[in-house]
Amino acid sequence: MQNDCEPEPSSRWSWWPSWRPTSMSLLKTAESKILSCIQTDLWARFVTLPNQERIWTLTVTNKTTSKTPLVMVHGFGGGVGLWIRNLEALSRSRPVYAFDLLGFGRSSRPSFPSDAEKAEEKFIASIEQWRQSVGLENMVLLGHSLGGYLATSYAIQYPSRVSHLILVDPWGFPERSQQHTQDSQGPDVAKRPGLPRWAKAIATVVSFFNPLAIIRAAGPWGPGLVNRFRPDFKRKFEDMFEDDTMTQYIYHCNAQAPSGEVGFRAMSESLGWAKRPMLQRVHLLPPAMPVTMLYGALSWVDSSSGERTAQIRKQAHTKVLMIDGASHHVYADQPEEFNRAVEKICKSVD
């Protein structure tokens, strides 16, 4: 694995690790253990943007194809390490890029505007500057959760760069006033699970603090808090790691100084709702742009937004697929089925 890293920058918050057992070095160590599972060619490095902000980037390739690359954008509180079950499999037929969103993971953590539109635009501008810096002409763009919201916004602004848009359990699509009850959907619609306990706990504090403030405020008890509220992450990867590697990775991703989550908070009314719902804008996607929406059948995200998107686009090149046995983290819950679905979509491009 090629790993082009730079020294960890000093910060006015550098005294915090005495209370919070975290640092960018510990995040790097946890991530390196995860990425060591990849056997194919992996290039991990910082991509520097024109404003000198840095985006932590992975490229996985077998170097035998020139097909349209797949670019994967993680969700809120995530990072490139969460794609570990997907990167190698999906890189067999084309280059795969994954990056930490600005303000998350190992990428730069700048300040974000408090205005929803301006915060969103800061994310989108960084993605476009990243694309230019990497030198990609076009891509199959895949986004999960918050990443799906941002990928859609990017595709609206830069449609010529997106060959196919894949949205995986995307956040921020429905309007709050359009919340549908199970009764209004009819008796034949299977009841979807509500928000998990960890999400409700975060939602309780999100209106007063940044969404992940509780992890930082917990200090030395923070890692245990992640293990308690997110034991599912350990289970999803238990055949790969017997210890707490994945929950440690999640902790170190989110115990750093808040940045991207500040932008997310500016964009959201609460954890489940966006101030600027994407359903109000999907009509701006070019009718000819193929869009596939993948939902976990057991997810708390309502898949009716996918059907509504298809209706708004008048069914134009829009498909909605359900992955049985998967919750919100579809790519980790049912990785083989997820990888097959994404590979089939990519083959439809070239």
Side-chain angles (χ1 to χ4, degrees), residues 182-227:
Q182 295 298 328
D183 291 341
S184 67
Q185 292 176 341
D188 295 330
V189 178
K191 185 176 181 180
R192 299 177 69 82
L195 281 173
R197 184 178 62 173
W198 66 266
K200 291 179 179 178
I202 292 177
T204 300
V205 300
V206 74
S207 60
F208 301 102
F209 306 100
N210 289 318
L212 299 171
I214 189 172
I215 294 177
R216 292 181 291 273
W221 296 279
L225 197 65
V226 174
N227 276 322

Side-chain angles (χ1 to χ4, degrees), residues 31 42-47 49 54-60 70-75 78-83 87 96-108 122-132 134 136 139-144 146-148 150-151 154 249 253:
E31 181 187 83
L42 169 64
W43 183 18
R45 79 282 191 192
F46 286 104
V47 172
L49 306 184
R54 302 183 304 165
I55 302 295
W56 180 243
T57 303
L58 307 182
T59 305
V60 188
L70 171 66
V71 175
M72 308 179 77
V73 187
H74 65 80
V80 295
L82 295 183
W83 300 117
L87 293 170
V96 175
Y97 291 79
F99 62 87
D100 286 342
L101 282 165
L102 185 69
F104 290 102
R106 296 179 63 187
S107 290
S108 294
K122 188 172 182 69
F123 279 120
I124 302 308
S126 70
I127 295 174
E128 171 58 9
Q129 291 169 6
W130 172 87
R131 182 202 62 79
Q132 293 177 14
V134 173
L136 300 181
M139 55 190 156
V140 177
L141 183 59
L142 180 153
H144 169 252
L146 170 62
L150 295 175
Y154 177 89
Y249 175 69
C253 275

Side-chain angles (χ1 to χ4, degrees), residues 6 8 31 43-44 77 144 159 164 192 194 217 239 244 294 304 312:
E6 300 176 28
E8 184 175 341
E31 181 187 83
W43 183 18
H144 169 252
H164 197 121
R192 299 177 69 82
D239 61 321
D244 294 335
L294 296 174
S304 66
I312 292 172

Side-chain angles (χ1 to χ4, degrees), residues 256-279:
Q256 313 296 324
S259 174
E261 69 180 278
V262 176
F264 173 78
R265 184 188 178 198
M267 293 159 54
S268 61
E269 292 185 299
S270 66
L271 193 66
W273 307 99
K275 289 180 180 177
R276 306 179 70 230
M278 196 54 68
L279 280 180

Side-chain angles (χ1 to χ4, degrees), residues 7 22 53-54 61 95 100 103 109 126 133 156 222 252 343 345:
T22 190
E53 290 170 347
R54 302 183 304 165
T61 179
D100 286 342
R109 292 176 174 254
S126 70
S133 298
I156 290 171
H252 291 305
E343 178 64 18
I345 294 167

Side-chain angles (χ1 to χ4, degrees), residues 75 143-149 166-173 192 292-303 321-323 326-331 333 338:
H144 169 252
S145 195
L146 170 62
Y149 181 92
I166 306 175
L167 306 176
V168 184
D169 241 44
W171 170 85
F173 271 63
R192 299 177 69 82
T292 301
M293 305 182 77
L294 296 174
Y295 288 91
L298 304 178
S299 175
W300 52 270
V301 174
D302 191 349
S303 61
L321 304 177
M322 302 294 293
I323 303 295
S327 59
H328 183 52
H329 293 272
V330 186
Y331 56 89
D333 292 323
F338 173 85

